[in-house]
Amino acid sequence: YYFPCQRWLAVEEDDGQIVRELVPVDEAFVKKGSENDGQSLATLGLEQKDKSTTYTVKVKTGDKKNAGTDANVFITLYGSNDDTGIVSLKASKINKNKFERGKIDEFTVESVDIGDLKKIKIGHDNKGNSTGWFLEWVEIDAPSLGQCLRFPCGRWLDKSEDDGAIERIIFPAKLQTREYIPFVPYEITVYTSDVFGAGTDADVFIVLYGSDGICTRQKSLCLNKREQRMYFERNSVNQFIVELEDVGDMIEKIRIGHKGGGLNSGWHLDRVAIRRLLPNGK
C-alpha cells in the first residue's frame, strides 16, 4: 500500500493540522513518479482530493465573564458513513489567542469523506490556568457537500459550571442550515517564467470563468505570507488544489493576478494548467 502525503504536519504551515488521514493510491502512480524523478507525484493531487473533504469550522466563544479557555480544544465530526476521529483545533486562522471571550475562531479540518454531517463532539482537556469554557455555537461549512450547518450550544464546558461536562455532543439546527451548489476541486499548476526578476512575493489570486457567464469567487492561491515568499520563484512550477464553484465542463477564460505590495511584486507568468475533478470522480 502506498500513502503519499506531500503536505505539512505543522501548526504554522498549510491548514495547521498536525495529524492527517491518508488514503492508499495505485502503485502505478508511485512508479510513474519515481520514473520521472518524483516530479509527477504532484499529479496525485486530484486523486487524493477525490477521497477527502475539507471543512471550515468556526467556533464562537460566548460573551460572558470567564467564557474563554486556555485548554486544548478538540472536535470530532460524525457523518452518515464514518467519523473524523479526534481533531485538535490548534491553528485559528483569525486569532493568535484562541477561544477568547466573545470571539469567533476559524479552523480547517480535512478528512476522508464521512458522508452527510450528522453531529459533532467538541470538548477540551481541562489543562491550563483558565480551563472553563462557554461555547456559544459551532458552524461547519462543507463546500464539497454544498452545506453550511450551525450547531448551537450555549452552555459551559466546565467542571465547576452547569452539569460539569467538559465535552458535549451537539446536533445541527435544521432551520439554520444553508445549502448551495457543491464546490469541486481544481488542480491549478502555475509556471513562472525563466527571466530575470520573474518571481513575486505578492498575493496571487485566480478566477475561473465558464460558459453562460458563470465564474468562481476570487481565490488567493497562498494561505499565508510565508507561502507567498516560497512560491512563484523564477523558473518554478507550483501546484495548488483549491475547491471552487463548479463552472462546468468548459473553462472559457481565467483571470489571474496579484495584489501588489512588497519589495518584489512584479511577476512574469509563463502559463497556467488547470485540471478539474468531475462530479463522478473522473
Side-chain angles (χ1 to χ4, degrees), residues 21 50-55 76-85 87 109-120 140 142 144-145 151:
E21 288 189 347
D50 184 26
K51 297 175 182 177
S52 67
T53 303
T54 301
Y55 303 92
T76 303
L77 280 55
Y78 295 88
S80 53
N81 303 328
D82 201 353
D83 65 73
T84 61
V87 178
V109 173
E110 186 174 292
S111 80
V112 173
D113 187 6
I114 61 172
D116 293 333
L117 205 51
K118 297 297 184 182
K119 64 181 180 181
I120 64 172
I140 300 179
S144 64
L145 300 176
F151 296 79

Side-chain angles (χ1 to χ4, degrees), residues 100-244:
E100 294 292 308
R101 174 178 174 175
K103 296 292 182 67
I104 296 175
D105 292 287
E106 182 178 314
F107 306 87
T108 299
V109 173
E110 186 174 292
S111 80
V112 173
D113 187 6
I114 61 172
D116 293 333
L117 205 51
K118 297 297 184 182
K119 64 181 180 181
I120 64 172
K121 180 165 71 175
I122 188 165
H124 61 78
D125 62 1
N126 206 44
K127 293 181 180 178
N129 295 324
S130 177
T131 58
W133 184 35
F134 190 88
L135 172 62
E136 195 72 56
W137 50 255
V138 178
E139 186 177 270
I140 300 179
D141 191 8
S144 64
L145 300 176
Q147 283 191 330
C148 184
L149 299 96
R150 177 70 66 92
F151 296 79
C153 181
R155 295 183 69 178
W156 286 97
L157 285 78
D158 187 338
K159 288 196 170 182
S160 60
E161 296 280 355
D162 204 333
D163 60 0
I166 57 171
E167 62 179 51
R168 297 196 181 280
I169 292 176
I170 314 174
F171 294 88
K174 290 185 178 179
L175 293 178
Q176 292 180 287
T177 297
R178 287 191 298 108
E179 297 197 354
Y180 54 91
I181 297 173
F183 284 24
V184 296
Y186 291 89
E187 182 183 271
I188 299 173
T189 308
V190 180
Y191 298 80
T192 298
S193 304
D194 187 14
V195 299
F196 179 75
T200 184
D201 292 336
D203 184 6
V204 173
F205 61 81
I206 194 168
V207 181
L208 312 184
Y209 293 83
S211 56
D212 301 322
I214 300 172
C215 69
T216 68
R217 66 188 63 185
Q218 182 171 298
K219 176 73 173 180
S220 291
L221 294 178
C222 293
L223 295 172
N224 51 49
K225 290 188 180 297
R226 183 191 173 282
E227 287 191 358
Q228 291 175 30
R229 293 191 298 269
M230 202 168 72
Y231 299 145
F232 311 118
E233 296 296 303
R234 174 179 174 173
N235 195 31
S236 67
V237 180
N238 302 117
Q239 190 173 84
F240 308 88
I241 305 293
V242 295
E243 286 183 311
L244 291 168

Side-chain angles (χ1 to χ4, degrees), residues 248-262:
D249 294 337
M250 296 290 293
I251 299 177
E252 297 205 337
K253 65 178 180 178
I254 66 172
R255 184 162 64 91
I256 188 167
H258 61 76
K259 299 176 181 178

Side-chain angles (χ1 to χ4, degrees), residues 4-43:
C5 184
Q6 307 275 313
R7 302 277 298 277
W8 284 99
L9 286 80
V11 172
E12 69 279 1
E13 301 287 354
D14 202 337
D15 58 8
Q17 293 302 314
I18 57 173
V19 177
R20 296 200 180 280
E21 288 189 347
L22 304 177
V23 292
V25 300
D26 193 287
E27 183 181 359
F29 277 113
V30 179
K31 288 187 172 178
K32 183 181 177 186
S34 61
E35 289 167 5
N36 295 318
D37 299 322
Q39 290 299 310
S40 70
L41 265 180
T43 64

